[in-house]
């Protein structure tokens, strides 16, 4: 067994290990982390002046004359004693030793084995309550196991290290449940009739080890010692409650490297090397945001060792020290162009106000968008893209652009449900962000960034969240803007490069009438650009904005920071789209209008489906071009 102790935070606990964790209940109860859990629980009880502390008062008897009359039938300390206040800290050793004995023996026998434990055994009901609440207290944390070894098993080289680690994490869950059940049954002398197989060990297991990559040294030198996540084991549904549930503002380009002027402690960080479209972005996150960092696994594929060795296109530090970041203003969510090393460097402070997955995801996508414009000449889009293959065999590729909460994903999901009798297959290419490129033939091709979706639970079709709950990471389900992160596509689909047939703006704020149809086609490039450029939307409460807002191309994640470059690319893309006969228009989802949260996207999907059917009836599909790299 190799345990390095626990790291506690307000909402989470991290167990660092050099390899395997525990093999038996006996080892578990004799470990330092178990002692720390009991100790931490006692601090919690003392802080809240819990009635459970009476257990320790009962453990400090002194002689008295006799048991008071009228107390027959109640649970009292042994006859001939009375209680006096005690210091629970002095009793931890005895209590932990009693738990070790209770894993094997009934209460009275265990109490005789452990010196001083008879006092705890004097009130078995209170002791049982203590164990139940200790178990619930432990399970109330987001729990992570981080293994810093990937090639050893029992001190020997391991041919299948990842399977060994997975077995180890699952074994820990089994041991914690077994220890809890054995102790409770030996206290009560009874056993439950119903067993609930809760994830009592760790929600998430992580293998994180150092890897060699082209690190230039200097201010980047500490990054060399931060381990890379090589495997994640998640037990969904993983439910976490980050400190924030909304994002505000945008990400600012700054002239100074945000890494300048502060000390980075590598032992407090992990790196998730994310595949973001065709890019590799090293996302470093502080351990205080462990739950948010691990949630990236449902959004981006992990880069391989060879991709790590080649180095990143961008670096992002999520959870930087707050004080040095103050030099960037009240909202220090910033990125910097390091021209010397040819990458972007971003940072967000480690404060609760930034403890929201949107700050993690959207900065990564901002870096992606900037690189797409600068190096690849692509126009980034904030929206969804899907490929629909009709039962006739005809494929249609739809790009739906719009701000957060505009009804993009909701409309496409409604399309999938409504079109079952017409649609043979629906593939997600991009759920939230992607890019458009003009190929050698003049066709517009669309690419994605993420393999997952970060979706509002309130806006999903009824039952959809529950059908996917066995794969989901759910965030703040009790709050406004409750979210789920779940995988929806593959990296092959993201990188394929499908020609665009429909380029639509998601209008969630306008009512529908004779002059404003659900699906409206634009007459020319300039009228289309005017609507896309204005980026108008009704805020859905996913950020701190309210009411109708406007954002340049509904995309503050790159285009706003580089408007001249983006405008040039947009003109090229829209001109090429009209030249190729792409249906360029807007789809009125009405998601932002009260009463249309579900009905609006459904009606939008019906209109789009009708248009596709009409188009299929009018023209024969041409042979589709081959995918582009």
């Amino acid at each position: 067994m190799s345990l390095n102790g626990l790291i506690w935070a307000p909402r989470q606990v991290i167990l660092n290990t050099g390899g395997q964790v525990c093999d038996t209940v006996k080892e578990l109860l004799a470990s330092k982390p178990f002692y720390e859990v009991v100790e931490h629980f006692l601090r919690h009880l003392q802080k809240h002046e819990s009635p459970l502390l009476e257990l320790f008062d009962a453990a400090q008897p002194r002689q008295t004359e006799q048991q008071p009359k009228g107390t027959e039938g109640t649970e009292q300390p042994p006859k001939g004693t009375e209680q006096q206040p005690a210091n629970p800290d002095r009793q931890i050793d005895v209590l932990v030793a009693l738990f070790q004995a209770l894993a094997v023996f009934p209460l009275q026998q265990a109490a005789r084995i452990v010196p001083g434990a008879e006092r705890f055994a004097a009130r078995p009901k209170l002791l049982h309550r203590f164990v139940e609440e200790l178990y619930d207290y432990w399970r109330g944390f987001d729990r992570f196991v981080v293994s810093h070894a990937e090639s050893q098993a029992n001190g020997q080289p391991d041919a299948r290290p990842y399977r060994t680690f997975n077995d180890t994490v699952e074994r820990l869950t089994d041991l914690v449940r077994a220890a809890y059940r054995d102790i409770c049954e030996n206290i009560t002398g009874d056993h439950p009739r119903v067993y609930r197989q809760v994830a009592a060990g760790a929600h998430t297991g992580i293998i994180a080890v150092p890897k060699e990559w082209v690190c230039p040294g200097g201010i980047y030198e500490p990054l060399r010692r931060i381990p890379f996540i090589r495997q994640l084991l998640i037990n969904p549904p993983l439910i976490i409650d980050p400190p924030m549930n909304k994002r505000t503002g945008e990400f600012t380009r700054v002239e100074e490297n945000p890494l300048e002027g502060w000390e980075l402690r590598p032992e407090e960080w992990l790196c998730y090397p994310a595949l973001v479209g065709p890019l590799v972005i090293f996302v470093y996150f502080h351990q205080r945001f462990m739950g948010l960092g691990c949630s990236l696994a449902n959004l981006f594929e992990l880069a391989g060792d060879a991709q790590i060795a080649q180095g990143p296109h961008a670096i992002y530090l999520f959870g930087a020290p707050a004080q040095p970041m103050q030099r960037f203003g009240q909202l220090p969510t910033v990125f910097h162009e390091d021209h010397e090393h040819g990458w972007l460097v971003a940072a967000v402070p480690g404060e609760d106000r930034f403890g929201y997955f949107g700050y993690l995801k959207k900065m990564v996508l901002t870096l992606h968008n900037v690189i797409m414009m600068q190096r690849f000449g692509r126009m980034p889009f904030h929206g969804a893209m899907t490929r629909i293959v009709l039962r006739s065999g005809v494929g249609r590729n739809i790009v739906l652009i719009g701000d957060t909460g505009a009804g993009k994903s909701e409309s496409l999901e409604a399309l999938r449900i409504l079109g079952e009798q017409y649609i043979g297959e629906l593939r997600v290419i991009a759920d939230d962000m992607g890019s458009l490129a003009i190929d050698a033939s003049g066709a517009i091709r669309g690419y994605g960034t993420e393999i997952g979706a970060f979706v509002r639970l309130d806006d999903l079709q009824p039952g959809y969240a529950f059908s996917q709950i066995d794969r989901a990471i759910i965030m703040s389900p009790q709050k406004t803007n409750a979210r789920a992160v779940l995988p929806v596509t593959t990296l092959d689909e993201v990188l394929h490069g499908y020609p665009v047939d429909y380029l639509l703006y998601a209008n969630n704020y306008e009512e529908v009438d004779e002059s404003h149809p659900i699906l409206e086609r634009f007459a020319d490039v300039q009228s289309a650009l005017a609507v896309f450029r204005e980026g108008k939307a009704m805020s859905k409460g996913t950020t701190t904005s309210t009411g109708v807002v406007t954002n340049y191309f509904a995309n503050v994640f790159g285009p706003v920071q580089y408007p001249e470059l983006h405008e040039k690319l947009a003109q090229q893309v829209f001109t090429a789209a009209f030249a190729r006969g792409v249906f360029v228009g807007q789809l009125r989802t009405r998601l932002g209008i009260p009463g249309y949260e579900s009905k609006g996207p459904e009606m939008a999907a019906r209109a789009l489906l009708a248009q596709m059917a009409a188009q299929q009836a009018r023209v024969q599909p041409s042979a589709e071009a081959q995918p582009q790299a």
Side-chain angles (χ1 to χ4, degrees), residues 202-530:
H203 292 110
T204 306
I206 304 164
I207 292 180
V209 294
K211 290 292 180 181
E212 290 296 326
W213 60 283
V214 185
C215 183
I219 60 173
Y220 298 108
E221 181 60 31
L223 301 181
R224 192 191 303 272
R225 304 197 303 275
I226 295 177
F228 288 88
I229 293 176
R230 303 315 305 128
Q231 188 186 34
L232 270 164
L233 173 67
I234 300 175
N235 287 306
L238 176 59
I239 300 175
I240 63 176
D241 185 21
M244 280 296 293
N245 65 326
K246 292 183 180 180
R247 181 186 55 79
T248 188
E250 58 192 55
F251 304 109
T252 307
R253 180 175 53 160
V254 295
E255 296 302 319
E256 184 180 359
N257 193 317
L259 270 67
E260 294 280 4
W262 56 278
E263 180 181 353
L264 186 150
R265 298 177 180 176
E267 68 275 8
E268 297 178 353
W269 293 76
L270 292 176
C271 180
Y272 188 96
L275 292 177
V276 187
L279 308 180
V280 177
I281 298 180
F282 288 178
V283 184
Y284 295 91
F285 59 90
H286 193 271
Q287 63 192 16
R288 71 176 293 175
F289 293 136
M290 182 70 79
L292 295 175
C294 291
S295 298
L296 288 169
N298 267 12
L299 201 66
F300 301 112
E301 286 277 10
L302 270 172
D305 288 350
Q307 292 165 314
I308 292 173
Q310 293 174 3
H313 293 89
I315 291 171
Y316 178 25
L317 289 101
F318 182 62
Q323 186 173 358
M325 294 291 291
Q326 290 178 358
R327 68 187 188 273
F328 297 116
Q330 292 297 315
L331 196 66
T333 53
V334 299
F335 67 93
H336 167 76
E337 293 186 46
D338 185 338
H339 297 289
E340 179 182 355
H341 300 106
W343 56 40
L344 301 179
V345 183
V348 166
E351 302 177 58
D352 280 355
R353 61 181 175 136
F354 301 113
Y356 173 58
F357 192 69
Y359 285 103
L360 190 55
K361 169 187 171 176
K362 293 298 191 182
M363 177 66 88
V364 170
L365 296 178
T366 298
L367 300 176
H368 164 273
N369 290 349
V370 173
I371 295 171
M372 284 296 105
M373 290 189 291
Q374 291 183 335
R375 300 190 193 178
F376 293 81
R378 297 184 190 174
M379 184 196 108
F381 67 84
H382 183 196
M385 180 176 180
T386 189
R387 173 169 174 76
I388 295 174
V389 180
L390 302 176
R391 291 195 172 183
S392 63
V394 176
R396 292 288 180 261
N397 306 313
I398 302 167
V399 175
L400 192 54
I401 292 176
D403 211 341
T404 303
K408 307 179 296 292
S409 299
E410 294 81 4
S411 297
L412 294 178
E413 174 60 18
L415 183 65
R416 181 187 67 83
I417 295 172
L418 294 171
E420 285 186 354
Q421 60 180 324
Y422 307 106
I423 297 174
E425 185 180 20
L426 188 150
R427 305 179 202 167
V428 175
I429 311 304
D431 177 76
D432 183 51
M433 201 76 71
S435 59
L436 300 174
I438 305 172
D439 69 11
S441 70
I444 308 299
R445 292 187 176 270
Y447 303 83
T449 55
E450 309 136 285
I451 61 166
F454 181 48
V455 295
R456 278 172 49 95
L457 292 179
D458 290 347
D459 293 335
L460 291 175
Q461 290 290 324
Y464 180 75
F466 294 100
S467 69
Q468 299 292 322
I469 199 168
D470 61 336
R471 308 166 73 212
I473 299 173
I474 300 172
M475 299 181 182
S476 306
Q478 80 283 15
K479 298 177 182 177
T480 303
N481 196 34
R483 292 273 184 156
V485 189
L486 62 161
V488 295
T489 190
T490 65
L491 190 62
D492 286 342
E493 292 295 324
V494 166
L495 299 177
H496 186 95
Y498 287 101
V500 176
D501 298 301
Y502 291 83
L503 180 56
L504 306 173
Y505 184 79
N507 179 331
N508 75 338
Y509 62 92
E510 277 188 339
E511 287 282 9
V512 172
D513 55 35
E514 292 184 0
S515 301
H516 302 84
I518 295 176
L519 181 61
E520 177 185 1
R521 188 168 191 169
F522 294 124
D524 53 58
V525 172
Q526 295 311 315
S527 59
L529 281 172

